[in-house]
């Protein structure tokens, strides 16, 4: 049926727009289609005005494609509108929980220190555009006068940018001088200069991922769970993004297979509903849970001993 095709198309767009790397095989497996059908969708997206990029064996959609730009124009505030709304909220009773919630949401998506400074705002837009081109054409750049609060220095940084993050407020780069992958804030760059030098350290690039539990890291670890009804409902309510990795089983339980950057987030959930969850893997997560359970048991034992002594 047509609505089934539309659901697959929308899901494919969602996957291609993520900050993740998906190969043709990965996409076919997730969508449940053949390679021939996938390439048909690719051609269809191009005809509709999407910009499709291939990076080695991986595919992605340019978030600056006309479709996304038009969609954002219709459902989000312009930067000028966001500034006006933020100023109005500042004048309202600060003890109002709803007002504080709205301000937090706006602050998550808009950097008002930049938006209210026209000179800084124009330079930031220019820097993002240069970084975008450098990533697209795989060029090295110099981040002129980058201000780092960690090292308390302001100096030029020679890097290879390979991924814009956090609504284009940050960029992931490989820095040859330190031989490390680092995340740089665009607002701390005075100017970005794209060099006529191609990437030389592609094999060292490591993306920073954020899992559905809001933990970030370069490494991703697989976790497989069988969720009972209670665990499934709470997981969907607390972490709705996990729906994309769930499959209903014949016995009514849900199989959840996803990757995480830390065991802490998923571990907290599993330990809180341990009787309604069966942990199938991976081995690292099982060891982590055993360690946590042992530590909690020891803590309870020590507490009981202190109570007995007193």
């Amino acid at each position: 049926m047509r609505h089934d095709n539309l659901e697959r198309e929308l899901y494919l767009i969602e996957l291609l727009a993520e900050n993740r790397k998906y190969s043709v095989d990965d996409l076919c497996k997730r969508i449940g289609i053949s390679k021939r059908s996938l390439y048909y969708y690719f051609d269809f997206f191009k005809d509709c005005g999407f910009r499709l990029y291939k990076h080695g064996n991986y595919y992605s959609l340019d978030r600056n494609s006309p479709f996304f730009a038009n969609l954002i124009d219709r459902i989000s505030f312009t930067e000028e509108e966001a500034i006006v709304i933020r100023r109005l909220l500042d004048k309202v009773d600060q003890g109002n929980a709803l007002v504080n919630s709205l301000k937090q949401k706006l602050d998550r998506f808009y950097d008002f220190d930049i938006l209210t400074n026209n000179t800084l705002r124009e330079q930031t837009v220019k820097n993002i555009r240069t970084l975008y081109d450098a990533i697209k054409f795989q060029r090295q750049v110099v981040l002129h006068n980058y201000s780092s609060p960690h090292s308390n220095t302001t100096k030029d940084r020679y890097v290879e940018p390979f991924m814009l993050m956090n609504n284009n407020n940050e960029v992931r780069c490989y820095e040859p001088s330190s031989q490390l992958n680092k995340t740089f804030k665009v607002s701390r760059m005075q100017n970005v200069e794209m060099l006529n030098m191609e990437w030389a350290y592609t094999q060292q690039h490591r993306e920073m991922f954020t899992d559905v539990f809001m933990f970030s890291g370069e490494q991703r670890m697989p976790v497989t769970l069988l969720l009972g009804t209670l665990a499934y409902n709470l997981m969907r309510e607390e972490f709705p993004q996990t729906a994309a990795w769930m499959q209903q089983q014949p016995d009514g339980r849900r199989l959840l297979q996803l990757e995480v950057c830390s065991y802490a987030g998923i571990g907290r959930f599993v330990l809180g509903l341990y009787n309604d969850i069966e942990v199938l893997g991976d081995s690292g997560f099982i060891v982590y849970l055993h360690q946590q359970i042992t530590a909690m048991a020891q803590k309870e034992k020590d507490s009981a001993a202190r109570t007995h002594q007193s």
Side-chain angles (χ1 to χ4, degrees):
M1 297 177 66
R2 175 55 194 162
H3 71 270
D4 294 330
N5 292 335
L6 179 59
E7 182 179 2
R8 283 195 291 267
E9 290 164 3
L10 292 174
Y11 184 33
L12 180 56
I13 290 173
E14 180 183 343
L15 292 175
L16 290 170
E18 289 182 358
N19 275 333
R20 295 174 181 265
K21 288 184 176 181
Y22 291 109
S23 66
V24 168
D25 290 336
D26 294 333
L27 293 169
C28 289
K29 182 178 179 180
R30 283 188 173 274
I31 304 296
I33 58 176
S34 65
K35 291 183 179 180
R36 180 178 180 182
S37 296
L38 180 65
Y39 288 122
Y40 169 79
Y41 283 136
F42 284 171
D43 291 337
F44 174 69
F45 291 161
K46 292 176 185 177
D47 291 340
C48 291
F50 287 97
R51 300 191 190 105
L52 183 70
Y53 289 131
K54 183 180 181 183
H55 313 275
N57 295 323
Y58 303 101
Y59 287 85
S60 64
L61 283 177
D62 180 4
R63 294 186 181 183
N64 292 314
S65 297
F67 175 85
F68 292 130
N70 293 335
L71 181 62
I72 290 172
D73 286 342
R74 285 169 171 78
I75 66 173
S76 67
F77 298 121
T78 65
E79 293 175 341
E80 289 76 13
E81 289 170 339
I83 292 171
V84 171
I85 293 172
R86 186 64 168 78
R87 286 174 176 169
L88 289 173
L89 290 173
D90 284 337
K91 298 178 181 179
V92 181
D93 178 18
Q94 299 305 303
N96 188 307
L98 179 58
V99 170
N100 290 332
S101 176
L102 289 171
K103 289 169 65 175
Q104 289 174 5
K105 287 183 178 180
L106 285 171
D107 291 344
R108 245 190 328 260
F109 290 100
Y110 302 95
D111 190 329
F112 290 98
D113 290 336
I114 294 175
L115 293 180
T116 54
N117 184 323
N118 289 333
T119 301
L120 182 60
R121 179 179 171 186
E122 291 176 4
Q123 185 59 49
T124 299
V125 171
K126 180 181 177 182
N127 289 344
I128 292 173
R129 187 179 300 116
T130 302
L131 289 168
Y132 172 80
D133 288 340
I135 294 171
K136 178 180 177 181
F137 298 111
Q138 300 187 358
R139 294 292 189 273
Q140 298 175 350
V141 304
V142 178
L143 310 179
H144 288 290
N145 293 326
Y146 183 80
S147 176
S148 173
H150 300 293
S151 59
N152 195 27
T153 60
T154 299
K155 62 181 182 180
D156 292 352
R157 310 292 283 266
Y158 162 70
V159 298
E160 290 186 354
F162 55 88
M163 182 174 67
L164 285 165
M165 305 166 54
N166 188 21
N167 200 29
N168 292 341
N169 289 315
E170 298 174 331
V171 61
R172 189 72 173 163
C173 305
Y174 177 77
E175 185 178 50
S177 61
S178 64
Q179 298 183 349
L180 294 173
N181 288 281
K182 298 181 178 181
T183 301
F184 296 92
K185 289 189 176 296
V186 177
S187 59
R188 295 176 184 162
M189 306 169 187
Q190 186 177 92
N191 184 40
V192 179
E193 177 189 0
M194 183 166 66
L195 305 176
N196 190 27
M197 298 173 63
E198 295 184 351
W199 290 348
Y201 304 93
T202 307
Q203 297 300 319
Q204 281 73 43
H205 293 183
R206 299 290 183 272
E207 295 185 8
M208 179 67 73
F209 298 97
T210 300
D211 62 28
V212 296
F213 304 98
M214 300 310 296
F215 283 85
S216 298
E218 293 181 3
Q219 184 180 4
R220 291 186 290 178
M221 300 165 288
V223 170
T224 305
L225 309 173
L226 273 173
L227 307 180
T229 302
L230 177 60
Y232 165 70
N233 288 333
L234 289 177
M235 180 68 81
R236 286 292 304 269
E237 292 172 7
E238 294 184 27
F239 308 102
Q241 288 177 290
T242 57
W245 289 278
M246 288 194 191
Q247 294 178 347
Q248 186 166 1
Q249 302 302 293
D251 63 1
R253 292 187 295 176
R254 264 71 174 189
L255 179 68
L256 174 63
Q257 295 178 294
L258 78 170
E259 294 178 327
V260 298
C261 298
S262 168
Y263 290 139
I266 185 70
R268 176 194 66 82
F269 185 88
V270 171
L271 290 171
L273 294 163
Y274 202 71
N275 291 333
D276 199 43
I277 299 174
E278 182 180 349
V279 181
L280 302 181
D282 69 351
S283 59
F285 184 49
I286 293 173
V287 169
Y288 170 84
L289 291 175
H290 287 169
Q291 291 173 342
Q292 295 299 307
I293 292 171
T294 300
M296 287 189 292
Q298 185 61 49
K299 185 176 181 180
E300 184 65 23
K301 182 178 179 181
D302 294 342
S303 178
R306 286 194 298 270
T307 302
H308 179 72
Q309 290 173 357
S310 61

